[in-house]
Structure formats: structure tokens, C-alpha cells
Amino acid sequence: MSEPQSEASRVVGERIRATRLKLGLSQEDIADLAEMHVTNVGKIERGQANPTLSTLVSLAGALNVDAAEWIANLTTAMLPERTHTVTAADLIRERHRLAR
């Protein structure tokens, strides 16, 4: 069973594809440079796969960019079926309120 596609995966994939195209490189080129299979690059660019940190860093290194550019401004609202909406700040605030 495949994982549901998330908005975050789609956005990261689009950003990676845009970087690659800006450099005039093929998926095969960056797959070779990042030492990964071209089908994985395609899945990542289409937002069909959630790349690991190692994969993001490998791709960023191959494309000579900062991987932070690809994940900038992503939010938890972009993740599928997220059940927790409480943040650490909310939890701390509530604990302080209850401690009074």
C-alpha cells in the first residue's frame, strides 16, 4: 500500500525539479551525481516519495545547493492525516497555566 501524497512532498519535489531544470540537468544526471536510482529521483520530484534526510543532502550536494531551500516554509498542515495540532509552545503555556 502506498503512502498518501502530502502537500509537503509535492512542494519539495517541485523545488528539486526546478533546481535541476535551472541547471539544465536530466534526472539521470543528478541520480548519477547523487549515487541513487533515477526512478527514485522521479518519484521524489513528483511528490510520490518522502526523501530521507540523507537523500535530500545527497541531492543538494549533487546540485550544489542548500537543502534548506527545499524545505523552507513547509508546515505541519501540509502533512496528511496529522492528528496533533498542539505545538510545544501550546503545551508549555498550558502547563504554566495549570501550575498556578
Side-chain angles (χ1 to χ4, degrees), residues 3-18 41-51 56 70-75 77-80:
E3 229 177 279
Q5 182 179 9
S6 73
E7 178 72 6
S9 295
R10 186 189 61 74
V11 169
V12 169
E14 286 176 357
R15 290 174 180 175
I16 293 170
R17 177 182 288 130
V41 173
K43 287 179 183 178
I44 292 166
E45 286 190 357
R46 289 188 303 277
Q48 296 173 332
N50 289 313
L56 284 175
W70 295 336
I71 62 169
N73 302 312
L74 299 181
T75 66
M78 300 169 95
L79 300 174

Side-chain angles (χ1 to χ4, degrees), residues 7 18-20 25 30 38-39 47 49-51 53 62 65 78 85 93 98:
E7 178 72 6
T19 303
R20 176 180 62 76
L25 297 173
I30 65 166
V38 68
T39 58
N50 289 313
L53 177 59
V65 298
M78 300 169 95
T85 58
R93 189 171 34 257
L98 293 173

